[in-house]
């Protein structure tokens, strides 16, 4: 995704890890991340605020010890039709604006005024 590639490397990495964990969306999936704790928390906040993923801690007890991990839910996976229904008109409008701006710039360079 273009947006993710324009973020800090830690955000891009967590986006990739989160997407890998659950590319389809619609359910909670276990997340494995190579990021350190504070870097993970910072990147998680950016991805959560963007509306692309949501995260929740998952605590379990194994061999009498509490283990903490993270779960992720992909809000823009291929099964999340509502996300894409909302996004397509936004993309179409932005593409139209970009096209109009390009035409305006070309006309100005050629000395054509409308």
């Amino acid at each position: 995704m273009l947006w993710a590639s324009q973020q800090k490397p830690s955000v891009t990495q967590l986006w990739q890890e989160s997407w890998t964990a659950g590319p389809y969306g619609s359910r909670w999936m276990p997340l494995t991340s190579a990021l350190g704790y504070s870097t993970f928390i910072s990147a998680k906040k950016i991805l959560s605020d963007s509306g692309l993923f949501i995260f929740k801690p998952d605590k379990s007890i194994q061999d009498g010890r509490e283990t903490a991990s993270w779960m992720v839910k992909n809000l823009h996976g291929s099964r999340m039709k509502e996300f894409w229904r909302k996004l397509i008109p936004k993309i179409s409008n932005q593409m139209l604006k970009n096209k109009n701006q390009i035409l305006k710039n070309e006309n100005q360079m050629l000395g054509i005024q409308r």
Side-chain angles (χ1 to χ4, degrees):
M1 175 176 238
L2 179 62
W3 176 87
S5 68
Q6 296 170 340
Q7 305 302 309
K8 296 187 293 188
S10 59
V11 175
T12 303
Q13 181 177 337
L14 186 57
W15 183 90
Q16 290 172 336
E17 292 167 343
S18 298
W19 183 269
T20 300
Y24 304 111
S26 77
R27 64 183 186 162
W28 289 102
M29 299 298 290
L31 175 65
T32 303
S33 179
L35 296 174
Y37 182 76
S38 60
T39 305
F40 172 83
I41 296 301
S42 298
K44 177 182 78 70
K45 180 174 181 359
I46 292 168
L47 288 178
S48 294
D49 290 349
S50 73
L52 298 174
F53 297 95
I54 51 176
F55 301 86
K56 72 176 181 177
D58 182 43
K59 294 182 181 179
S60 62
I61 298 178
Q62 295 175 341
D63 299 329
R65 294 185 294 184
E66 186 174 83
T67 305
S69 60
W70 287 93
M71 302 290 284
V72 63
K73 190 175 200 181
N74 182 348
L75 300 177
H76 68 297
S78 62
R79 292 187 183 146
M80 305 302 288
K81 293 177 183 168
E82 192 59 32
F83 176 87
W84 296 107
R85 280 191 195 117
K86 291 178 183 176
L87 185 63
I88 289 171
K90 290 178 186 177
I91 292 172
S92 297
N93 288 338
Q94 187 60 46
M95 289 174 65
L96 184 59
K97 287 178 187 176
N98 290 348
K99 178 184 171 193
N100 289 338
Q101 186 61 46
I102 290 169
L103 290 173
K104 181 179 176 184
N105 291 344
E106 287 176 348
N107 288 340
Q108 286 176 347
M109 287 182 355
L110 296 171
I112 302 170
Q113 292 185 355
R114 289 187 174 176

